[in-house]
Amino acid sequence: MAEGTLLAGFDCPFAELPDHVLVEILIRVPVVEWGQLSCVNKYWANLFREECLWHAALARCFPLSGHRRKRWPGPIPRGISKRRFVALYLSKFIMLPVEEEDDELSEIVGHTYLFLKEQLHISTMPPPSGILHGTIIDQFIACGKSRDRAHELGCMIWLGVIENLEDNHRTFVLLKRLAYIIIISYIYLLKLWCLKENVKWVLQVVFLAYPYSRSYQVEWKIYERLLTDFRDCMSNEEEYYDLLGCAKQKFQPIPPTWLGH
């Protein structure tokens, strides 16, 4: 959009402002109100689709974001200015605690959060959770984080995404799929144990080595949401008690809320 384009046809005080001035005004409004601003008229909606606005917003809200690596590390892509702004905003104001504020780490955490959320929302069939978790761990290791730190950050991102999934049927189906992957892994291990197969090999195949194994806290959160937020979505009591039985075997003790109390 050429600088100096006017808001022709709109009878408002902003109608004669050049684009770059209007952008500077808009990005000074609190971020939570940007959605409403983009609905004022089509012209403003188009401005919020322009790269120039998001580039200006990045420079104002995250001034250190311009001092970036020459090469973006890891398998998860970075994206353009709007995606970078969303990633930084998510991590700095939702994910990471204040004492860990660092624009480079914040942006990596934010992009990883967006990657996992988008992959879990694929309409047909999301990639296996083990592959997604492995990609997340590889991202942080590629950025120079230790195995322990990569596992910690990966756990934080899984918990954040699962906690913020909408309460709808699609989320219910997704959480059930993630829970049943946990169940099937344990059943497979038990059967091979009974057949006296090579248990060491089984553990390496079914349960990925640290830090690529999914954390206890993430598995707890999956069952917590299923047995509290989505209990009414169960097709019958048998489905509920199957999940509850698996939860009892894996987690002890289980909270009363999982029992419907």
Side-chain angles (χ1 to χ4, degrees):
M1 192 172 351
E3 185 176 308
T5 302
L6 301 182
L7 268 169
F10 292 103
D11 185 17
C12 69
F14 299 101
E16 297 182 358
L17 292 177
D19 287 347
H20 72 281
V21 175
L22 182 56
V23 164
E24 288 298 324
I25 293 172
L26 293 177
I27 63 175
R28 282 166 169 73
V29 177
V31 175
V32 294
E33 298 179 16
W34 286 8
Q36 296 179 27
L37 289 178
S38 66
C39 296
V40 170
N41 55 53
K42 289 183 179 180
Y43 190 86
W44 286 20
N46 288 333
L47 267 182
F48 276 95
R49 297 189 189 101
E50 291 288 334
E51 178 76 0
C52 63
L53 183 142
W54 294 101
H55 185 77
L58 267 177
R60 174 172 173 75
C61 299
F62 306 105
L64 296 180
S65 64
H67 304 285
R68 59 187 186 180
R69 298 171 182 251
K70 294 181 180 179
R71 184 181 66 85
W72 178 252
I76 298 174
R78 188 178 209 174
I80 56 177
S81 294
K82 179 177 181 179
R83 189 175 181 86
R84 292 188 63 208
F85 182 92
V86 174
L88 281 162
Y89 186 86
L90 276 171
S91 60
K92 295 197 75 170
F93 296 105
I94 298 176
M95 300 292 296
L96 287 174
V98 175
E99 61 269 17
E100 295 191 36
E101 283 191 4
D102 174 279
D103 275 352
E104 187 171 73
L105 176 60
S106 294
E107 187 169 353
I108 294 168
V109 167
H111 281 295
T112 307
Y113 179 96
L114 292 173
F115 164 80
L116 178 59
K117 185 175 181 180
E118 289 166 358
Q119 291 297 310
L120 292 179
H121 276 82
I122 290 176
S123 57
T124 52
M125 179 70 73
S129 59
I131 294 177
L132 293 177
H133 187 62
T135 303
I136 291 171
I137 298 300
D138 286 341
Q139 177 69 40
F140 289 117
I141 290 177
C143 295
K145 303 303 176 186
S146 67
R147 289 158 55 89
D148 290 341
R149 185 60 174 147
H151 190 267
E152 179 186 350
L153 290 168
C155 174
M156 178 187 71
I157 288 167
W158 271 98
L159 291 173
V161 171
I162 292 171
E163 182 66 34
N164 289 290
L165 289 172
E166 295 180 4
D167 293 342
N168 54 35
H169 181 72
R170 199 178 186 292
T171 297
F172 171 61
V173 173
L174 171 64
L175 291 175
K176 271 205 311 182
R177 186 183 300 123
L178 293 174
Y180 283 132
I181 289 172
I182 300 168
I183 296 168
I184 290 169
S185 297
Y186 278 95
I187 292 174
Y188 182 57
L189 175 61
L190 182 60
K191 284 183 177 179
L192 289 177
W193 186 290
C194 293
L195 293 172
K196 302 189 183 302
E197 296 286 346
N198 188 333
V199 177
K200 183 178 180 181
W201 176 82
V202 174
L203 286 170
Q204 291 174 347
V205 173
V206 178
F207 301 98
L208 296 174
Y210 181 86
Y212 293 95
S213 54
R214 200 164 55 192
S215 74
Y216 180 91
Q217 293 97 320
V218 172
E219 294 182 358
W220 174 283
K221 177 58 69 175
I222 291 169
Y223 277 95
E224 180 182 56
R225 290 218 62 189
L226 277 171
L227 295 171
T228 55
D229 299 340
F230 292 99
R231 182 175 179 179
D232 293 339
C233 296
M234 307 283 180
S235 56
N236 51 55
E237 286 293 310
E238 183 178 352
E239 184 177 25
Y240 165 73
Y241 285 113
D242 282 346
L243 282 169
L244 183 61
C246 293
K248 286 182 176 179
Q249 290 181 10
K250 186 165 181 59
F251 310 109
Q252 286 294 339
I254 61 173
T257 51
W258 293 17
L259 302 170
H261 299 160

